[in-house]
Amino acid sequence: SRHNRRINIVYTIIMSSTSEEKKIDPMPTTAESSTMPLIEKAPTPLRICCYGSSSSRTPKKYTDAAYNLGYHLAQRGHTCVNGAGNAGCMAAMNRGANDGDGAIVGVIHEAFVVDGSDWFEGAHSVFNTTKHRIITAKGNDLQERKKLLVQGADGLVVLPGGPGTWDELWEMACARHIGFHAMPIVCVNVDGYYDNFKSILVRAHEDELLYKQPE
């Protein structure tokens, strides 16, 4: 089915770039980025929504994984949709996707518009060009922004992050559980970061609080 094919494609994206069985390549310097390997385009381009940290204190092992993910998404011909951040996993992924000559869509709240201009506080510098797109969410909370991030997405990829990332992840996991969407959700489990997340799901299933066995 199209859904199963989509799941396989999303897993292939992740496992080819950030598998725990493979050593994650360190994020290259600006000079080195031009020598990154070329990767074959995917037969079906996808729109992939990505969550992850936006903290400047994010450990390097996580930003390396984020860069690799962004680069592989771009080289495979997929569109990377994220929160447009200029720090942490978001920044590394945006740089990777840009270095991979891919398309990036950033979704940012109108509260971060700078003095009514066309620029946004906290947005990554890759959005300075017309190559990538910024979507502005409105409202007095983050609900519209969350909807715009996943609108039209074929898959959801979650990098290591803090409470904001967990909030987005759990909301989409809940929505999938009750049937509001069938989008595959893939956690990039760098250094076992999401082991406890999986343990909670397994425990909930064992205690019959989760109807379906965690994948």
Side-chain angles (χ1 to χ4, degrees):
S1 70
R2 171 175 166 77
H3 174 59
N4 288 334
R5 184 169 67 251
R6 190 169 60 185
I7 290 176
N8 289 336
I9 291 171
V10 173
Y11 272 109
T12 298
I13 292 167
I14 304 309
M15 298 309 291
S16 68
S17 59
T18 56
S19 170
E20 291 178 283
E21 298 176 359
K22 282 182 61 178
K23 181 181 182 297
I24 296 173
D25 295 327
M27 183 166 58
T29 64
T30 302
E32 292 171 336
S33 61
S34 61
T35 64
M36 288 288 286
L38 296 177
I39 300 167
E40 184 180 355
K41 294 285 187 185
T44 305
L46 301 175
R47 186 180 179 94
I48 305 297
C49 175
C50 302
Y51 300 147
S53 79
S54 58
S55 169
S56 60
R57 294 175 292 182
T58 302
K60 188 175 185 299
K61 58 187 174 183
Y62 301 149
T63 56
D64 285 347
Y67 180 92
N68 275 266
L69 172 63
Y71 185 84
H72 278 71
L73 285 174
Q75 285 282 289
R76 295 284 283 167
H78 305 307
T79 298
C80 177
V81 185
N82 65 77
N86 66 355
C89 286
M90 289 292 95
M93 181 172 55
N94 282 323
R95 183 184 157 196
N98 187 67
D99 287 349
D101 198 29
I104 311 171
V105 177
V107 181
I108 198 164
H109 195 275
E110 64 178 349
F112 297 101
V113 176
V114 178
D115 297 328
S117 68
D118 292 329
W119 185 239
F120 303 88
E121 182 181 356
H124 195 280
S125 59
V126 298
F127 295 102
N128 277 329
T129 70
T130 57
K131 178 181 177 181
H132 306 302
R133 182 184 174 203
I134 282 276
I135 298 175
T136 307
K138 300 181 182 298
N140 58 3
D141 57 28
L142 296 175
Q143 293 308 307
E144 183 182 357
R145 178 177 176 272
K146 289 180 180 180
K147 291 179 182 178
L148 290 173
L149 278 165
V150 298
Q151 192 173 72
D154 295 293
L156 177 63
V157 178
V158 188
L159 290 153
T165 301
W166 305 334
D167 171 54
E168 293 166 328
L169 168 57
W170 279 113
E171 180 172 321
M172 291 306 293
C174 178
R176 174 170 171 164
H177 181 64
I178 59 181
F180 283 156
H181 72 86
M183 193 187 315
I185 301 174
V186 180
C187 292
V188 183
N189 195 28
V190 181
D191 197 23
Y193 188 82
Y194 281 110
D195 283 353
N196 289 333
F197 178 78
K198 182 178 180 181
S199 295
I200 291 172
L201 295 176
V202 170
R203 173 64 184 271
H205 183 260
E206 290 173 349
D207 290 350
E208 299 184 3
L209 300 174
L210 196 64
Y211 304 124
K212 298 178 182 179
Q213 186 169 0
E215 297 174 357

